[in-house]
Amino acid sequence: MNRKKGDKGFESPRPYKLTHQVVCINNINFQRKSVVGYVELTIFPTVANLNRIKLNSKQCRIYRVRVNDLEAAFIYNDPTLEVCHHESKQRNLNYFSNAYAAAVSAVDPDAGNGELCIKVPSELWKHVDELKVLKVHINFSLDQPKGGLHFVVPNMEGSMAERGAHVFSCGYQNSTRFWFPCVDSYSELCTWKLEYTVDAAMVAVSNGDLVETVYTHDMRKKTFHYMLTIPTAASNISLAIGPFEILVDPYMHEVTHFCLPQLLPLLKHTTSYLHEVFEFYEEILTCRYPYSCFKTVFVDEAYVEVAAYASMSIFSTNLLHSAMIIDETPLTRRCLAQALAQQFFGCFISRMSWSDEWVLKGISGYIYGLWMKKTFGVNEYRHWIKQELDQIVAYELKTGGVLLHPIFGGGKEKDNPASHLHFSIKHPHTLSWEYYTMFQCKAHLVMRLIENRISMEFMLQVFNKLLSLASTASSQKFQSHMWSQMLVSTSGFLKSISNVSGKDIQPLIKQWVDQSGVVKFYGSFAFNRKRNVLELEIKQDYTSPGTQKYVGPLKVTVQELDGSFNHTLQIEENSLKHDIPCHSKSRRNKKKKIPLMNGEEVDMDLSAMDADSPLLWIRIDPDMSVLRKVEFEQSDFMWQYQLRYERDVVAQEEAILALEKFPTPASRLALTDILEQEQCFYRVRMLACFCLAKIANSMVSTWTGPPAMKSLFTRMFCCKTCPNIVKTNNFMNFQSYFLQKTMPVAMALLRDVHNLCPKEVLMFILDLIKYNDNRKNKFSDNYYRAELIDALANSVTPAVSVNNEVRTLDNLNPDVRLILEEITRFLNMEKLLPSYRHTITVSCLKAIRVLQKNGHVPSDPALFKSYAEYGHFIDVRIAALEAVVDYTKVDRSYEELQWLLTMVQNDPVPYIRHKILDMLTKNPPFTKNMESPLCNEALVDQLWKLMNSGTSHDWRLRCGAVDLYFTLFGLSRPSCLPLPELGLVLNLKEKKAVLNPTIIPESVANNQEPVNSTNNHGQSVGFQNTFSNSQEEEEIDMDTVHDSQAFIYHHLNMLERPSTPGKEQSSGEMNMHPVSAAPMSVFSKESNSSKHSDHHHHHHHEHKKKKKKHKHKHKHKHKHDNKEKEKDPFAFSNSPASARSICSPSLSD
Amino acid sequence: ISEIGRSAKSYCEHTARTQPTLSDIVVTLVEMGFNVETLPAYAKRSQRMVITAPPVTNQPVTPKALTAGQNKPHPSHIPGHFPEFPDPHTYIKTPTYREPVSDYQVLREKAASQRRDVERALTRFMAKTGETQSLFKDDVSTFPLIAARPFTVPYLTALLPSELEMQQMEETDSSEQDDQTDTENLPLHMSTDDSGPEKENASVLQQNTSLSGSRNGEENVIDNPYLRPVKKPKIRRKK
């Protein structure tokens, strides 16, 4: 189970190799939301005695399996359906996470496992021994899928096509198993033939080339035939069916865009840019786009904004925009560019194993960054890098680290490299979504570090090498065994780096890839005048969680009077102090221009600086070549110089943040100057607005003149003749547009001595709203108006409450009345003239929540709940839900929490379900150390159920539920649960020692329902009875037993589960074994019936009887088994599902 | 008497004069057979009638009200002999309403408040006639919010520009006429299922030519599998 180590190439974990797969979906019913079809896999056995084939399949109802036209028995067992089986009282997240990781392992295709196990008919064994080809034909159907395939069926009159009903595949990482049986691994490549029969008014878009479209005989349907000749992993297969409008890209005819009816004009505008992205990538990679065609599909209720699959991408329809929209344009373009980058790395080149994922995410993120740099400029790029760096640093410091390349030695959970986390990072499916986002972020930052090390030229050469190897391989026939060249591994990637560049980047990899954590620097300095030396002290914090020690070079840039100088310091174990010689004597009398880093020479007013020192400012690691956080101390005038004269936007932003601590007139002046400077990067200016507001608030008693920014705004955006009226909108200049949007928002944060927003400012904003005139503007002003409402919300301060009186209209503050009037009008106008993406409604809802929270308006979630209903635009729903989440927290409302959790379970839109959990996690109603009336046993049970079995159809959702559980209750047993009886621990220990011989084999063999082997009860006795009876002998009460059972089970899990797959690999050997062949006997052709029972718990006594009978049989076998081969049965027996299918009524007789 | 006058005029004109003189009249009288010598005696007779001079009446003064303003003197380019200008009121437009406001500030002010009033009235009306939500439990009328109603297809209203915006778009960049390319894309109707076989074949043919066409780098024919016609089940052409 250990990942193959590098150079030898790829070794499949499976005893066979898949070469070709046919997926045929003959019927799609939108009304019933069902799908019927079959798959056919062509496989070559690689070992002689292959008699079981494990495939991945979830949700699918499998009717029939044939191998080479012979009926084959199969078993379907999905341990992830319900992670922890017995109704144990153990509500401990540690326990759950381990069990979940084990469950995912048990079906992990990368370990050769799968939910579906097919027995090769004995007639074929000889055939297999000759390693001849097998064709596995599986008929399946899907009914109302809850994950993997998403149906959007608007509830209105008309045919499905008229309604715009559509369906598309979705999911997180390898989720293809949700909609057809396959080897759902990124490392199992094969060629594909895909056929979809759909309504004649619909289009089916899928991977590869559309070979032909043929009508069915009744002419009411047509079949789309796709061929994908480039070997592709099942996880990269996708599908979208709907009455799409079709647009062939006018620049590249092999690119086709699809959107929902009526949106064609938007589609035209949105995709008109795509060809430039294509050109860019093809140019830098010096490689043609690998697939012969590319399709973009824009769908409603998308799972994620961008999902990349082989030769097609599925986008959210909400990315479409018209030419009038400014703000969405760059965002959408970024999404397009991201999707395209992943076509090269992620779809065409796939990964060998999960631990190599970082390479793909890193490369695609990195080339996407290059595109950003080219498209939006260096400033935007550096700003983005800084932003990503800040994010990853904050996340790692919060959670304790993100590990890019986890290595699992021995597979024991003990040496789990991420023990600080509440989830396992061994599988993509156990990861918290936030962790995964941060993982991607870190991956591309590390790629950038590698680029810093080996130069961009070499970097691109490496990419080109990977791509050209892959494209050579892709054109080969399967027999040449070349396809593994299309998989990238960490070691392979590092090897080609060292081949191409000849440089050793091992230390870098060790630091950032094999190890988690970021670096935290604290810097301060003193200037030694006598020696003319800068004494720099750099400390590190490497003891807090999420940090690591950094040893190596560190660049420091010192701006002196004579120019800017780079110094490379060697950070070592013990040296804190670094002496840096200064080049210039302090001489302030000579008037001379001061050279900057970029060669520019500027005049500066040096009166502010220290007369004795030639230092203007100092920067540590200016190129962000370490993943770090720097806290550096320098005096305020140095920050001011840095802000004014340093040309790097990152430095400017750092200076602005630092200046918040220096509320002086000089800071004010520096910020105002930056604000006014047209050449300055607009994001810096926007940031300066907020800093200026903060400074003004700190200086409130000494502030002179009009409120900050007011006169500036007036000068820039108001009429010359009447300064109180804003000019009619003209957003042709985007920089000033963004500034115009931001300034009022920042101004509204101003407070006077009473900590109220000055009346003047409020009136000013109201006037802006009043005089806003967009008639002559080429662009929509919806974002601008939305931000004006945000500004109104920002101006709200807590109401002066007189002994908690009820909020009514009569005691409404007059200012608030004005604000409310605007909000009411805006919100109502939205109903008549809706704005793009309903930005105004979103802002209004947020503002209303602010008013409620500040006690001006009675706190009431009803309004938000109505906006959160299904059928509103997604942005509106999320804004409303956010307000409800906030209400739940502030008012500690059990009812609302229940309402939210119900929505998590039932909402039709997967993104909303995910987002609610996400928002609850970020803004929790309570946390583990908090007393709250909400924290009770019922809630624990409910959440437990949600993550245990309620979210099995969506990895992301389940991990979201785990995150929430962790935030609310922590890792250990929730505090609100009644304490387990005293003596439990003791008992446990004793029991562990004493009961081991009897219980362990049982829980191993049959952990679904512990039965005491010696205790033969009446057949109709329920299992609980059985249990207590057996335990009475040892005088232990039920609770304890449950707990100890769980405990032991859990330990066994930890010890044995991970090693099972390894054993399973040698399934050939197993089959020789007479005992392990036993489960085969129960393989059924009629698993239809067993399938049904999958979804029901057995409540009938009859069932139990049968089960019991059966169990005995089994137990003996298993015991037997255990003696000889202890761990074997685990893969089968660790879930009731398996037991059920084994014990299905038809079989037990 | 009129005969006298007529003749006298004739005589006078006969002698190329415009004004008759005494001699003209004398000649006339003589011609008519009067004895001129008796005339002074006749004039001095005692019972003669004396015709009094008509009484001198005051010239009627034109009322002041009608002379609106001074008559304009002739400008220099009009010769002085031309008639006077008529009274100003006959040709000057007289304002009958208040002075129009041309001040930018006031205009903006008016536009803003007018729009706001319209919006408020409209939304209030909508709120009155439909369902509402309220922020205050005790008061439903002061800040009436039109109730949120879910859409069947929420993304359409959210993404498509409203008609008003479309209009504005057209106004602002009427110069940029969309050179639409619909001609290429629109013919493809996924629902055109019942096109006759001959038509189908024709389009297949066309498609074949377009195939070879695009190979030759022909720009205007796009070969895209999604634009190809749907094949009939029986005639399965392998491409």
Side-chain angles (χ1 to χ4, degrees):
Chain A
M1 111 143 256
N2 277 340
R3 306 286 176 238
K4 34 277 140 196
K5 289 287 160 265
D7 321 2
K8 287 165 305 219
F10 180 64
E11 284 171 37
S12 171
R14 273 164 291 280
Y16 58 86
K17 180 74 189 82
L18 180 64
T19 61
H20 183 70
Q21 181 164 357
V22 178
V23 179
C24 174
I25 288 181
N26 347 337
N27 192 9
I28 290 203
N29 187 332
F30 280 92
Q31 197 70 53
R32 292 186 46 219
K33 299 190 179 170
S34 67
V35 168
V36 181
Y38 69 84
V39 294
E40 189 177 277
L41 298 94
T42 309
I43 61 174
F44 282 91
T46 50
V47 291
N49 43 18
L50 170 82
N51 64 3
R52 278 193 279 170
I53 299 166
K54 287 190 176 179
L55 297 176
N56 295 109
S57 171
K58 272 169 92 70
Q59 285 189 135
C60 303
R61 175 164 301 185
I62 292 167
Y63 290 114
R64 186 180 188 201
V65 177
R66 279 174 298 166
V67 180
N68 284 11
D69 292 328
L70 292 166
E71 297 289 338
F74 63 94
I75 189 170
Y76 185 90
N77 162 30
D78 184 0
T80 60
L81 280 179
E82 192 180 353
V83 175
C84 302
H85 306 298
H86 20 224
E87 195 28 61
S88 89
K89 293 243 160 89
Q90 184 110 11
R91 293 292 191 237
N92 159 339
L93 195 58
N94 257 330
Y95 170 69
F96 177 85
S97 285
N98 287 325
Y100 181 38
V104 173
S105 287
V107 293
D108 183 10
D110 281 340
N113 292 330
E115 292 90 349
L116 182 67
C117 184
I118 297 165
K119 189 199 169 198
V120 179
S122 51
E123 295 92 323
L124 288 170
W125 285 5
K126 195 153 174 296
H127 184 84
V128 170
D129 288 345
E130 291 159 18
L131 302 185
K132 282 189 182 153
V133 64
L134 291 180
K135 293 213 178 216
V136 182
H137 187 101
I138 304 172
N139 289 72
F140 71 96
S141 76
L142 259 179
D143 209 14
Q144 309 230 336
K146 291 169 93 185
L149 212 54
H150 185 66
F151 280 89
V152 182
V153 185
N155 182 17
M156 57 197 253
E157 293 293 300
S159 72
M160 283 300 162
E162 284 159 5
R163 294 197 215 173
H166 56 290
V167 62
F168 57 92
S169 61
C170 61
Y172 157 55
Q173 286 280 335
N174 23 6
S175 294
T176 307
R177 65 183 87 169
F178 281 97
W179 59 287
F180 65 81
C182 58
V183 180
D184 197 5
S185 159
Y186 281 99
S187 60
E188 189 69 47
L189 308 180
C190 68
T191 52
W192 295 82
K193 168 91 178 71
L194 307 155
E195 290 177 38
Y196 307 101
T197 303
V198 300
D199 205 73
M202 300 256 186
V203 190
V205 188
S206 188
N207 315 89
D209 293 313
L210 175 64
V211 180
E212 56 179 358
T213 319
V214 184
Y215 278 115
T216 53
H217 288 282
D218 59 2
M219 299 297 277
R220 280 156 64 187
K221 290 187 171 183
K222 43 190 188 180
T223 308
F224 286 80
H225 295 267
Y226 284 90
M227 284 290 269
L228 183 55
T229 50
I230 291 178
T232 303
S235 316
N236 278 325
I237 296 298
S238 63
L239 164 70
I241 298 174
F244 298 119
E245 305 214 29
I246 300 173
L247 171 68
V248 177
D249 196 288
Y251 302 94
M252 303 168 292
H253 295 170
E254 57 277 28
V255 177
T256 321
H257 311 291
F258 299 86
C259 69
L260 293 165
Q262 300 185 47
L263 299 176
L264 192 60
L266 302 185
L267 183 72
K268 265 183 202 158
H269 178 76
T270 309
T271 55
S272 61
Y273 173 75
L274 189 70
H275 66 282
E276 290 185 34
V277 192
F278 260 101
E279 281 162 20
F280 177 79
Y281 286 145
E282 289 189 350
E283 198 185 313
I284 61 160
L285 297 170
T286 48
C287 173
R288 286 199 56 82
Y289 175 67
Y291 299 99
S292 53
C293 60
F294 181 59
K295 286 141 286 186
T296 63
V297 190
F298 291 83
V299 297
D300 190 24
E301 300 180 11
Y303 188 81
V304 280
E305 282 198 317
V306 186
Y309 302 97
S311 83
M312 78 182 270
S313 287
I314 297 181
F315 297 93
S316 159
T317 194
N318 305 331
L319 293 174
L320 295 174
H321 58 87
S322 69
M324 296 165 62
I325 308 299
I326 299 175
D327 300 51
E328 184 59 40
T329 310
L331 301 179
T332 299
R333 288 186 178 180
R334 285 166 79 156
C335 287
L336 290 175
Q338 248 170 333
L340 209 50
Q342 287 172 13
Q343 287 291 314
F344 291 89
F345 294 94
C347 295
F348 181 58
I349 295 195
S350 188
R351 66 175 192 231
M352 258 185 206
S353 70
W354 164 237
S355 56
D356 305 317
E357 169 82 347
W358 78 274
V359 179
L360 291 176
K361 288 294 172 204
I363 299 179
S364 59
Y366 169 78
I367 58 173
Y368 161 68
L370 293 181
W371 169 83
M372 282 228 341
K373 198 195 287 186
K374 188 224 161 203
T375 312
F376 298 117
V378 177
N379 283 349
E380 179 76 28
Y381 173 72
R382 287 187 66 89
H383 170 82
W384 175 66
I385 292 287
K386 174 76 168 54
Q387 217 177 14
E388 297 275 290
L389 182 62
D390 287 348
Q391 266 185 33
I392 185 74
V393 166
Y395 182 77
E396 294 213 37
L397 293 181
K398 188 182 87 185
T399 59
V402 171
L403 184 59
L404 289 184
H405 183 50
I407 300 168
F408 305 98
K412 297 268 190 284
E413 295 285 327
K414 250 185 273 174
D415 29 58
N416 181 356
S419 50
H420 53 274
L421 296 167
H422 60 277
F423 46 84
S424 159
I425 58 166
K426 221 167 108 184
H427 301 281
H429 297 156
T430 54
L431 283 194
S432 149
W433 183 255
E434 197 187 4
Y435 181 90
Y436 184 60
T437 324
M438 286 299 122
F439 174 91
Q440 298 178 26
C441 164
K442 186 167 184 176
H444 82 76
L445 287 174
V446 169
M447 280 297 158
R448 190 178 156 269
L449 298 189
I450 297 177
E451 180 224 80
N452 281 351
R453 189 71 218 289
I454 68 167
S455 88
M456 181 159 112
E457 199 191 339
F458 282 139
M459 200 74 177
L460 294 177
Q461 273 180 33
V462 171
F463 299 162
N464 177 261
K465 199 177 152 191
L466 292 176
L467 283 171
S468 41
L469 274 178
S471 60
T472 321
S474 72
S475 55
Q476 304 286 320
K477 285 274 175 289
F478 161 69
Q479 278 75 9
S480 65
H481 299 286
M482 285 278 282
W483 287 358
S484 63
Q485 296 280 4
M486 299 179 71
L487 303 176
V488 78
S489 72
T490 307
S491 54
F493 173 67
L494 296 182
K495 205 172 161 204
S496 57
I497 285 190
S498 80
N499 282 349
V500 168
S501 72
K503 284 185 181 149
D504 177 28
I505 59 162
Q506 208 51 49
L508 191 151
I509 296 299
K510 192 159 170 281
Q511 180 125 38
W512 304 119
V513 179
D514 294 339
Q515 202 177 323
S516 69
V518 292
V519 182
K520 225 170 150 184
F521 290 122
Y522 296 98
S524 60
F525 77 99
F527 177 67
N528 188 323
R529 198 176 153 203
K530 270 189 204 141
R531 294 163 56 212
N532 197 28
V533 152
L534 164 68
E535 294 168 355
L536 193 66
E537 188 184 39
I538 296 177
K539 283 192 238 165
Q540 283 189 52
D541 169 9
Y542 43 83
T543 49
S544 336
T547 55
Q548 58 165 300
K549 185 189 278 181
Y550 177 76
V551 174
L554 183 70
K555 193 166 141 189
V556 172
T557 305
V558 181
Q559 174 72 47
E560 300 176 33
L561 289 172
D562 276 2
S564 187
F565 302 97
N566 288 330
H567 305 271
T568 307
L569 306 181
Q570 208 59 36
I571 303 288
E572 280 154 22
E573 290 285 327
N574 305 316
S575 70
L576 296 172
K577 304 241 180 197
H578 302 271
D579 284 354
I580 297 174
C582 287
H583 295 73
S584 30
K585 301 273 181 213
S586 56
R587 24 109 250 195
R588 332 182 24 212
N589 302 335
K590 280 191 222 163
K591 265 277 174 199
K592 205 179 149 190
K593 288 195 169 181
I594 290 168
L596 297 179
M597 197 58 177
N598 59 358
E600 211 178 316
E601 299 204 336
V602 290
D603 279 316
M604 285 187 208
D605 173 19
L606 298 175
S607 55
M609 70 185 290
D610 183 355
D612 297 332
S613 150
L615 301 171
L616 284 164
W617 66 82
I618 299 163
R619 297 183 62 204
I620 293 178
D621 186 28
D623 297 331
M624 301 178 279
S625 47
V626 178
L627 302 186
R628 84 298 189 266
K629 178 190 175 103
V630 178
E631 283 175 23
F632 187 65
E633 286 172 31
Q634 58 181 0
S635 16
D636 58 342
F637 68 84
M638 296 175 85
W639 289 119
Q640 286 151 15
Y641 281 125
Q642 180 171 334
L643 173 58
R644 282 169 190 262
Y645 300 110
E646 173 61 64
R647 295 296 183 238
D648 178 15
V649 291
V650 174
Q652 292 173 352
E653 285 171 9
E654 280 167 356
I656 288 174
L657 290 179
L659 281 178
E660 279 177 17
K661 292 185 213 93
F662 301 100
T664 59
S667 300
R668 175 185 173 183
L669 194 64
L671 288 167
T672 321
D673 286 351
I674 280 292
L675 259 182
E676 277 177 277
Q677 234 177 58
E678 298 266 325
Q679 309 95 300
C680 187
F681 185 47
Y682 74 100
R683 288 188 192 272
V684 172
R685 295 165 80 190
M686 284 159 72
L687 197 64
C689 292
F690 290 99
C691 182
L692 195 58
K694 280 187 188 145
I695 286 189
N697 290 344
S698 314
M699 295 170 61
V700 66
S701 50
T702 54
W703 188 269
T704 51
M709 289 172 278
K710 183 168 178 232
S711 50
L712 196 62
F713 189 96
T714 310
R715 192 161 48 206
M716 291 170 78
F717 304 112
C718 291
C719 305
K720 297 279 174 297
T721 49
C722 35
N724 62 329
I725 295 180
V726 66
K727 281 184 204 162
T728 56
N729 295 340
N730 179 2
F731 297 155
M732 288 301 276
N733 182 344
F734 295 156
Q735 280 93 340
S736 57
Y737 161 68
F738 281 105
L739 207 59
Q740 186 177 1
K741 272 196 333 176
T742 308
M743 267 210 251
V745 181
M747 280 172 74
L749 292 169
L750 293 173
R751 296 290 178 265
D752 62 12
V753 276
H754 309 293
N755 208 20
L756 298 172
C757 183
K759 187 93 178 162
E760 192 182 353
V761 171
L762 180 62
M763 285 306 153
F764 178 71
I765 295 166
L766 287 172
D767 273 353
L768 288 184
I769 293 173
K770 183 174 166 191
Y771 293 119
N772 176 43
D773 185 349
N774 206 48
R775 280 173 299 183
K776 295 278 183 300
N777 199 356
K778 203 177 156 203
F779 298 99
S780 166
D781 67 342
N782 62 313
Y783 285 92
Y784 174 58
R785 280 187 291 157
E787 298 227 12
L788 287 177
I789 300 165
D790 292 344
L792 286 181
N794 273 353
S795 76
V796 173
T797 45
V800 192
S801 162
V802 188
N803 41 2
N804 275 337
E805 59 185 338
V806 185
R807 284 289 144 197
T808 58
L809 260 183
D810 310 323
N811 54 19
L812 196 63
N813 176 321
D815 286 350
V816 174
R817 185 177 282 267
L818 290 174
I819 293 174
L820 256 184
E821 213 141 280
E822 295 300 331
I823 291 174
T824 313
R825 195 168 51 82
F826 270 124
L827 197 53
N828 286 340
M829 276 310 285
E830 275 277 277
K831 303 286 186 309
L832 310 172
L833 285 175
S835 61
Y836 178 71
R837 293 192 77 153
H838 298 324
T839 45
I840 292 171
T841 308
V842 169
S843 287
C844 287
L845 291 177
K846 285 182 180 160
I848 291 175
R849 180 63 199 149
V850 170
L851 287 172
Q852 291 191 352
K853 236 177 140 177
N854 281 292
H856 294 288
V857 171
S859 204
D860 180 13
L863 178 78
F864 303 120
K865 277 159 103 175
S866 73
Y867 277 96
E869 288 300 335
Y870 178 69
H872 284 284
F873 187 64
I874 189 141
D875 292 1
V876 173
R877 297 189 68 196
I878 285 173
L881 285 167
E882 202 164 7
V884 178
V885 167
D886 192 52
Y887 176 85
T888 311
K889 180 190 180 181
V890 174
D891 285 43
R892 298 187 167 185
S893 159
Y894 189 72
E895 190 191 327
E896 263 61 49
L897 186 58
Q898 282 305 317
W899 184 82
L900 286 169
L901 289 177
T902 314
M903 203 175 237
V904 169
Q905 277 160 297
N906 300 332
D907 200 81
V909 186
Y911 183 72
I912 290 283
R913 295 200 294 260
H914 157 70
K915 195 71 191 165
I916 295 175
L917 286 178
D918 182 52
M919 289 188 290
L920 276 173
T921 310
K922 297 228 166 81
N923 193 9
F926 60 93
T927 57
K928 60 184 164 188
N929 302 320
M930 210 189 276
E931 282 293 313
S932 168
L934 297 183
C935 177
N936 58 28
E937 213 174 329
L939 183 69
V940 175
D941 281 343
Q942 191 179 10
L943 273 177
W944 183 269
K945 221 173 124 197
L946 189 66
M947 62 184 191
N948 193 26
S949 54
T951 46
S952 61
H953 49 274
D954 187 346
W955 311 116
R956 178 174 73 174
L957 196 63
R958 173 172 264 165
C959 297
V962 171
D963 283 351
L964 178 61
Y965 195 89
F966 174 68
T967 315
L968 298 184
F969 308 116
L971 270 182
S972 46
R973 198 179 159 82
S975 56
C976 57
L977 293 186
L979 279 175
E981 262 93 292
L982 276 176
L984 166 70
V985 182
L986 251 178
N987 262 344
L988 259 178
K989 283 193 177 151
E990 276 175 23
K991 276 192 62 166
K992 206 189 172 194
V994 175
L995 293 180
N996 245 351
T998 46
I999 287 189
I1000 287 180
E1002 292 222 351
S1003 32
V1004 172
N1006 232 323
N1007 55 41
Q1008 313 77 22
E1009 275 166 49
V1011 180
N1012 202 318
S1013 55
T1014 52
N1015 230 350
N1016 242 329
H1017 286 270
Q1019 302 266 290
S1020 58
V1021 181
F1023 114 81
Q1024 293 242 324
N1025 264 339
T1026 324
F1027 210 88
S1028 54
N1029 280 355
S1030 72
Q1031 302 302 335
E1032 266 163 36
E1033 297 169 10
E1034 290 158 48
E1035 298 181 356
I1036 298 163
D1037 72 283
M1038 274 299 289
D1039 277 9
T1040 334
V1041 172
H1042 271 299
D1043 277 333
S1044 58
Q1045 278 283 328
F1047 183 80
I1048 288 161
Y1049 169 58
H1050 158 66
H1051 270 260
L1052 279 167
N1053 249 345
M1054 298 222 311
L1055 291 171
E1056 314 209 316
R1057 197 68 80 80
S1059 56
T1060 337
K1063 285 274 179 181
E1064 280 301 301
Q1065 272 186 346
S1066 55
S1067 62
E1069 174 200 335
M1070 243 174 77
N1071 295 323
M1072 315 285 271
H1073 206 279
V1075 181
S1076 52
M1080 295 301 179
S1081 62
V1082 300
F1083 278 163
S1084 147
K1085 290 175 187 178
E1086 297 182 51
S1087 331
N1088 248 344
S1089 50
S1090 70
K1091 277 289 307 172
H1092 286 295
S1093 60
D1094 253 355
H1095 302 288
H1096 303 286
H1097 290 272
H1098 295 261
H1099 293 298
H1100 299 295
H1101 281 282
E1102 287 155 38
H1103 274 222
K1104 266 191 190 143
K1105 264 192 232 167
K1106 284 170 184 167
K1107 228 191 272 178
K1108 200 147 278 174
K1109 253 190 208 164
H1110 216 74
K1111 207 160 299 141
H1112 284 292
K1113 235 187 335 186
H1114 263 266
K1115 193 173 43 212
H1116 291 299
K1117 276 170 198 155
H1118 283 307
K1119 281 190 96 170
H1120 210 50
D1121 207 14
N1122 277 328
K1123 278 174 204 154
E1124 291 168 47
K1125 255 179 126 231
E1126 276 192 2
K1127 293 145 191 171
D1128 242 342
F1130 225 98
F1132 281 108
S1133 54
N1134 53 12
S1135 98
S1138 68
R1140 278 181 215 126
S1141 40
I1142 289 171
C1143 308
S1144 68
S1146 57
L1147 292 171
S1148 49
D1149 298 327
Chain B
I1 289 171
S2 57
E3 182 57 35
I4 292 169
R6 201 185 53 79
S7 299
K9 190 165 178 276
S10 302
Y11 281 112
C12 125
E13 281 170 358
H14 185 74
T15 49
R17 278 178 281 112
T18 55
Q19 299 276 324
T21 56
L22 181 65
S23 54
D24 289 332
I25 295 171
V26 171
V27 173
T28 305
L29 290 174
V30 171
E31 270 299 299
M32 291 174 73
F34 286 106
N35 190 356
V36 184
E37 258 89 87
T38 57
L39 263 180
Y42 179 76
K44 285 172 185 158
R45 71 178 194 275
S46 52
Q47 305 101 342
R48 69 173 188 273
M49 278 182 359
V50 179
I51 301 163
T52 53
V56 183
T57 51
N58 284 345
Q59 276 284 311
V61 186
T62 44
K64 196 111 195 154
L66 284 177
T67 55
Q70 236 74 60
N71 282 5
K72 255 199 192 163
H74 280 161
S76 56
H77 59 271
I78 297 178
H81 64 274
F82 272 48
E84 288 273 294
F85 275 117
D87 278 355
H89 75 267
T90 56
Y91 61 90
I92 281 180
K93 192 166 69 179
T94 332
T96 55
Y97 47 89
R98 276 188 290 126
E99 187 99 351
V101 192
S102 55
D103 185 18
Y104 183 73
Q105 177 173 353
V106 185
L107 270 182
R108 286 290 300 274
E109 170 82 49
K110 285 196 85 157
S113 43
Q114 200 173 351
R115 199 188 52 208
R116 167 173 306 220
D117 291 344
V118 169
E119 286 182 5
R120 187 174 302 154
L122 183 61
T123 52
R124 293 242 158 188
F125 172 73
M126 296 299 290
K128 281 246 168 63
T129 48
E131 255 181 81
T132 56
Q133 288 163 322
S134 170
L135 296 173
F136 295 90
K137 288 243 163 58
D138 54 337
D139 185 302
V140 283
S141 58
T142 317
F143 297 112
L145 295 174
I146 302 174
R149 201 170 299 121
F151 305 92
T152 41
V153 188
Y155 59 85
L156 282 183
T157 46
L159 299 180
L160 287 173
S162 65
E163 272 172 49
L164 186 78
E165 284 177 314
M166 292 298 270
Q167 250 177 8
Q168 277 177 23
M169 275 259 271
E170 277 158 29
E171 279 167 23
T172 43
D173 53 13
S174 50
S175 55
E176 294 172 36
Q177 283 297 330
D178 308 43
D179 41 345
Q180 303 255 339
T181 46
D182 334 0
T183 41
E184 292 160 353
N185 303 317
L186 284 185
L188 181 102
H189 284 301
M190 300 320 288
S191 46
T192 55
D193 29 6
D194 284 0
S195 46
E198 54 287 290
K199 204 174 163 189
E200 198 83 314
N201 284 340
S203 48
V204 169
L205 271 177
Q206 195 188 341
Q207 173 239 321
N208 284 339
T209 53
S210 80
L211 234 167
S212 53
S214 68
R215 291 276 153 73
N216 299 337
E218 208 176 298
E219 277 294 304
N220 42 9
V221 191
I222 299 177
D223 173 40
N224 185 292
Y226 295 95
L227 301 184
R228 285 177 210 151
V230 182
K231 295 181 184 172
K232 291 279 190 174
K234 290 276 163 73
I235 324 158
R236 283 207 184 184
R237 279 164 181 264
K238 291 275 176 284
K239 67 147 274 188

